Amino acid sequence: MLIYGPLPVVLFLPQISHRPKKIFMSLPPKLSRSSCNFVQKPNLFSHPKSTGEQRKTEQTLRNNHNNKTKKKEKENQRTNMREEEKGEECYNQAITKRYKRSSESENEMQVCVENEDMEMEIEEGNEEEEEEEEEEEEEDEMGLGLFHFPTRPSSFVVTDALEPDFPIIYVNSVFESATGYRADEVLGRNCRLLQFRDPRARRRHPLVDPTAVSEIRRCLETGTEFQGDVLNFGKDGTPLLNNLRIIPIRDGPCVTHFIGIQVFSDANLDLSSLSYPVFKKENPDLSPSRMGIAIPSKNYENKSIMERTQEFCEILQLSDEVLAHNVLSRLTPRDVASIGSVCRRMHQITKNEQLRKVVCQNAWGREMTVKLELSTRRLGWGRLARELTTLEAATWHKFTVGGRVEPSRCNFSACAVGNRLVLFGGEGVDMQPMDDTFVLNLDSTSPEWTRVMVTSSPPGRWGHTLSSLNGSWLVVFGGCGRNGPLNDAFVLDLDAKQPAWQELATTSEVGTGGRPLPRSWHSSCTVDNGSKLVVSGGCTDTGALLNDTFLLDLTKDRPTWREIAGSWGPPSRLGHTLSVYDNNKIMMFGGLAKSGSLRLRSCDAYTIDLDEKDPKWRQLGFNVFEGAGPPPRLDHVAVSLPCGRIIIFGGSIAGLHSPSQLFLLDPSEEKPTWRVLNVPGQPPKFAWGHSTCVVGGTRVLVLGGHTGEEWILNELHELCLASRPDEDAGVCFEGF
């Protein structure tokens, strides 16, 4: 006997693109055939003798049922198509507005409706649906969907990938407010400027993770995306943690631009104590070894010597003595400071004061190191090197000294001998040349000008040069006397019991042009630790400008002049400066130079290396994109710093430019760049025709200055390059 019971119902849902959900259809426990459009089949066993008419009726019912079923299926198909189109439209709208995660849906879902298990399945489906909705809400709250929306405003930077060094071509206002840089200050530059704590720095800060920097460089070279954290610094030096994402923009196969999306947050770092990478947490499983390096103890003990060497840098296997004397002592102070931030062991080694002194001596020379000994007694070599490198402590001071330089004069020359200022000659009333010598001892509690009683003196002169030689010796050359320009040279031992000026009986090398012509308003300097005098330029008695260069060797029994001749030299000029750097290299700057038939103020710079076999003058090319240079000038001063940089100050300047503005240049750079040095304090107001002396390597003293009526010598202005003992008493710094 056949029994017709409730049949399973299969629903074919339209294919949709959003997240699939289990759908259950609820039917009554006792399913009626009429509600499900089922046709009651005849009981053949109860009608054994069926007639043809009954069979025909049954066939008609079957045909009607089949037609209705086909019609119902067509209607279902059309409904499914409409629902599918509506589902796709809803999906597109949803992905545009809320960016929800998408996933593939099942093409068909089969729902079995069974009387016994239906209620249980409905309850389970409702619970799973609620759990999925809660997970979606948590993902939206946590930002774990397809897109992440940061709570902080994002900075956008666009760089040109077709230009060298990927220059910035656009930044938004969020970038300006977060970093402190204006758009005009960063356009055309590389984004690595944010890795420098000081805008004038030439290297990235040692706390910046080099691994992240290398990965960024690799992504830029390969045109791939980058995402990670990088330590940056604002314009004011504030440390910022940059959550950076770099996206390449392509035009076909070529990358044309890079878009940087930056989310800045405060790094909250103590820059004086941490080492990079600053944004990574220390592993508590690491234990310090006897060398002060964090080494995993559980793995290191079981490894062979070869495995240890491969895992750790070989330089760390050297002893402290070898590292200090054979490696670190050969580096510059800046490099030693960077290495001291690597690990605790390197920090302890670089804290050694003797090592710091050796590093400074190798970088600045023995003579300069001796001059700086007094300053290091209160600061230490580490802090002194930092302050002279960054000029962070530079400031102007004004003070008054006693005594008088009588009679009043101008166009004198001065230099420093130890902590004493020496002044010689000058132009008195009615253009009278002066021949007296004055000394100002800065070691005294109340410095005052005193006249040096010499047994003999050179002829009076003005427009000459006075230079310091070894120890307490001075040399004066040239100038304009009673009968016109001079070309004689006199020396003075300031520490002699009876000081006396002595004229040098000079000679000249054969075939080198003989002795220099008589001249005034020239420039001179000493090289090779004060054993040689270099003279350049000036003007003759006829007013003609000169462009020759002579060297006087004072180490010989009879000092000898030698002309430094070359196929090319700077244009003729007067009122320029010669500055020494790297012991035997000279830089010439400014002056009143000859340009055709005209004489114009100049702002050109030229260098020469006297260690070369055939020294030649070369014009110095500047990086015009990074900074504006000083305006043309003459009768200015140039100050050579211990670290090889040169400061240009004052002079006769055309136009409305400030004569008290300081300009800084490092001529040893591959592309030297002028930088404006903003120094607090009270600079000299009248800085024309003045004289400048460097005392102790850290004090720049400005003498004189034209007020329009007279020259003041009792009011001195001092540019302090290092901290003063009365300003930071009791303050201790680590230095490097």
Side-chain angles (χ1 to χ4, degrees):
M1 180 177 179
L2 296 177
I3 300 175
Y4 293 88
L7 299 178
V9 179
V10 180
L11 297 182
F12 294 90
L13 299 180
Q15 180 180 357
I16 58 177
S17 301
H18 21 76
R19 184 186 296 273
K21 299 180 180 179
K22 295 182 180 181
I23 300 177
F24 299 90
M25 175 171 284
S26 176
L27 293 180
K30 295 184 179 180
L31 202 60
S32 64
R33 289 185 172 87
S34 60
S35 61
C36 293
N37 295 325
F38 288 158
V39 178
Q40 184 178 6
K41 292 186 177 182
N43 193 339
L44 300 181
F45 293 95
S46 59
H47 301 281
K49 296 181 180 180
S50 301
T51 60
E53 183 177 357
Q54 290 177 340
R55 287 195 296 270
K56 185 176 181 181
T57 301
E58 292 176 357
Q59 184 65 33
T60 302
L61 292 175
R62 292 192 186 96
N63 292 337
N64 293 337
H65 173 70
N66 293 336
N67 292 335
K68 290 180 179 180
T69 302
K70 292 180 180 179
K71 185 177 180 181
K72 187 68 174 181
E73 290 177 354
K74 291 181 180 180
E75 290 178 358
N76 291 337
Q77 291 178 358
R78 287 194 295 267
T79 303
N80 293 341
M81 293 177 63
R82 286 194 298 268
E83 291 180 355
E84 183 176 358
E85 293 175 355
K86 184 177 180 180
E88 291 179 354
E89 182 179 359
C90 294
Y91 168 74
N92 293 333
Q93 293 177 356
I95 199 63
T96 304
K97 294 180 179 179
R98 297 195 59 190
Y99 301 101
K100 285 190 174 181
R101 181 181 297 173
S102 61
S103 62
E104 295 183 356
S105 301
E106 297 178 358
N107 295 331
E108 295 182 356
M109 296 184 63
Q110 185 175 6
V111 182
C112 299
V113 183
E114 298 180 357
N115 293 333
E116 297 179 354
D117 302 329
M118 181 59 65
E119 293 180 357
M120 183 180 296
E121 292 178 354
I122 291 174
E123 292 177 357
E124 294 177 354
N126 292 336
E127 292 177 356
E128 293 179 0
E129 187 176 43
E130 291 176 358
E131 291 177 357
E132 290 178 355
E133 289 177 356
E134 291 177 357
E135 291 177 359
E136 291 178 358
E137 291 176 358
E138 291 178 357
E139 290 178 355
D140 293 340
E141 293 176 357
M142 299 175 59
L144 301 176
L146 184 61
F147 292 91
H148 170 61
F149 295 93
T151 57
R152 292 177 175 267
S154 298
S155 166
F156 288 90
V157 177
V158 181
T159 63
D160 191 348
L162 301 180
E163 293 293 331
D165 207 25
F166 306 99
I168 299 174
I169 61 175
Y170 170 79
V171 295
N172 65 347
S173 59
V174 178
F175 177 92
E176 295 179 309
S177 61
T179 64
Y181 287 97
R182 300 190 311 271
D184 59 317
E185 294 178 320
V186 300
L187 295 182
R189 302 177 64 182
N190 190 279
C191 290
R192 72 172 66 93
L193 65 93
L194 297 179
Q195 300 171 13
F196 303 155
R197 190 182 179 190
D198 189 286
R200 298 182 297 271
R202 305 303 300 170
R203 301 182 182 180
R204 69 172 182 261
H205 196 274
L207 297 186
V208 178
D209 188 3
T211 305
V213 175
S214 301
E215 182 64 18
I216 293 175
R217 185 182 299 111
R218 185 192 66 80
C219 293
L220 293 178
E221 293 175 353
T222 58
T224 57
E225 289 192 14
F226 170 83
Q227 187 166 2
D229 292 336
V230 183
L231 179 64
N232 287 169
F233 295 90
K235 186 178 180 180
D236 59 354
T238 303
L240 302 171
L241 188 58
N242 182 2
N243 188 345
L244 174 63
R245 182 178 183 183
I246 301 177
I247 304 174
I249 305 301
R250 301 180 181 273
D251 184 7
C254 180
V255 177
T256 59
H257 299 84
F258 284 97
I259 296 180
I261 304 175
Q262 303 165 323
V263 180
F264 292 103
S265 60
D266 295 336
N268 297 325
L269 302 176
D270 183 6
L271 299 178
S272 62
S273 61
L274 292 181
S275 60
Y276 64 73
V278 297
F279 42 79
K280 292 183 179 179
K281 297 182 179 180
E282 296 183 357
N283 190 346
D285 295 334
L286 300 182
S287 59
S289 70
R290 60 180 180 87
M291 298 187 298
I293 309 172
I295 300 176
S297 57
K298 59 182 180 180
N299 296 329
Y300 184 79
E301 298 296 335
N302 298 328
K303 292 185 178 180
S304 63
I305 298 297
M306 183 62 66
E307 291 175 338
R308 299 179 190 179
T309 305
Q310 292 176 353
E311 181 175 357
F312 299 102
C313 179
E314 294 183 1
I315 194 174
L316 299 180
Q317 309 301 321
L318 302 176
S319 65
D320 293 353
E321 293 77 13
V322 173
L323 284 174
H325 296 288
N326 295 352
V327 179
L328 299 179
S329 63
R330 304 174 185 270
L331 304 178
T332 64
R334 185 189 295 269
D335 293 333
V336 173
S338 300
I339 291 178
S341 303
V342 172
C343 62
R344 289 190 297 271
R345 181 193 178 196
M346 290 299 178
H347 180 66
Q348 292 296 329
I349 295 177
T350 55
K351 282 177 60 178
N352 184 276
E353 197 67 12
Q354 184 62 31
L355 171 63
R356 292 175 173 178
K357 180 180 179 180
V358 173
V359 170
C360 295
Q361 180 173 303
N362 293 339
W364 303 338
R366 183 181 298 275
E367 182 184 9
M368 180 57 65
T369 306
V370 172
K371 292 181 180 179
L372 295 173
E373 282 282 0
L374 181 61
S375 299
T376 58
R377 295 175 186 174
R378 53 186 173 83
L379 294 179
W381 286 105
R383 182 179 177 186
L384 181 65
R386 189 190 73 220
E387 291 185 354
L388 293 180
T389 301
T390 63
L391 297 179
E392 60 188 32
T395 182
W396 281 107
H397 295 278
K398 180 181 178 181
F399 63 98
T400 303
V401 297
R404 294 187 63 85
V405 178
E406 295 286 351
S408 180
R409 68 196 64 201
C410 64
N411 298 328
F412 54 84
S413 185
C415 69
V417 178
N419 287 338
R420 294 172 291 180
L421 302 185
V422 182
L423 183 150
F424 173 78
E427 180 184 353
V429 181
D430 297 329
M431 300 182 65
Q432 168 141 14
M434 313 298 292
D435 64 349
D436 45 6
T437 307
F438 290 84
V439 173
L440 178 66
N441 188 359
L442 297 175
D443 285 337
S444 175
T445 55
S446 299
E448 60 180 22
W449 287 105
T450 58
R451 184 170 180 175
V452 180
M453 305 306 296
V454 296
T455 57
S456 62
S457 182
R461 65 193 67 199
W462 46 269
H464 55 284
T465 57
L466 180 68
S467 304
S468 176
L469 301 177
N470 290 325
S472 59
W473 286 87
L474 302 169
V475 58
V476 64
F477 173 79
C480 186
R482 293 181 180 273
N483 300 321
L486 304 168
N487 66 342
D488 51 2
F490 288 80
V491 294
L492 171 68
D493 184 5
L494 200 62
D495 290 340
K497 293 183 179 180
Q498 294 183 344
W501 286 98
Q502 302 175 9
E503 184 175 4
L504 295 176
T506 60
T507 184
S508 60
E509 291 185 359
V510 179
T512 60
R515 299 172 61 184
L517 295 175
R519 65 192 66 201
S520 60
W521 305 114
H522 55 279
S523 185
S524 68
C525 63
T526 56
V527 296
D528 199 5
N529 296 324
S531 62
K532 297 180 177 65
L533 176 69
V534 178
V535 177
S536 174
C539 67
T540 63
D541 55 350
T542 62
L545 300 183
L546 301 173
N547 71 335
D548 51 3
T549 304
F550 285 85
L551 184 143
L552 178 62
D553 191 353
L554 299 171
T555 59
K556 298 182 178 180
D557 295 336
R558 188 173 183 182
T560 304
W561 286 104
R562 176 171 65 91
E563 183 178 8
I564 302 176
S567 58
W568 179 87
S572 305
R573 63 190 62 215
L574 61 82
H576 55 290
T577 55
L578 295 181
S579 305
V580 181
Y581 66 100
D582 292 349
N583 196 23
N584 284 334
K585 296 180 181 179
I586 302 175
M587 187 187 84
M588 176 191 296
F589 176 79
L592 185 66
K594 184 177 181 181
S595 178
S597 60
L598 302 177
R599 296 184 177 184
L600 304 175
R601 292 179 177 87
S602 172
C603 62
D604 297 332
Y606 306 87
T607 60
I608 188 172
D609 187 357
L610 297 180
D611 287 334
E612 295 179 351
K613 184 177 181 180
D614 296 319
K616 296 179 181 179
W617 285 103
R618 300 176 179 86
Q619 187 168 4
L620 198 62
F622 303 115
N623 189 347
V624 298
F625 296 103
E626 296 212 4
R633 62 188 66 200
L634 76 152
D635 292 339
H636 55 280
V637 294
V639 180
S640 298
L641 302 183
C643 49
R645 293 174 294 178
I646 298 173
I647 294 178
I648 301 296
F649 169 71
S652 175
I653 307 172
L656 301 177
H657 299 285
S658 172
S660 61
Q661 196 170 35
L662 299 178
F663 292 88
L664 184 68
L665 180 72
D666 188 351
S668 61
E669 293 179 347
E670 183 178 355
K671 290 185 178 180
T673 303
W674 286 105
R675 298 175 181 85
V676 177
L677 186 61
N678 297 316
V679 177
Q682 183 180 358
K685 294 182 179 179
F686 305 98
W688 175 77
H690 57 307
S691 183
T692 304
C693 306
V694 180
V695 178
T698 62
R699 304 174 63 186
V700 181
L701 297 176
V702 180
L703 306 177
H706 201 282
T707 65
E709 297 179 357
E710 61 178 349
W711 298 68
I712 304 298
L713 291 176
N714 291 93
E715 293 182 356
L716 275 65
H717 289 80
E718 178 183 0
L719 175 62
C720 297
L721 302 178
S723 300
R724 296 163 61 96
D726 54 345
E727 290 180 345
D728 48 14
V731 180
C732 181
F733 286 80
E734 286 295 335
F736 274 162

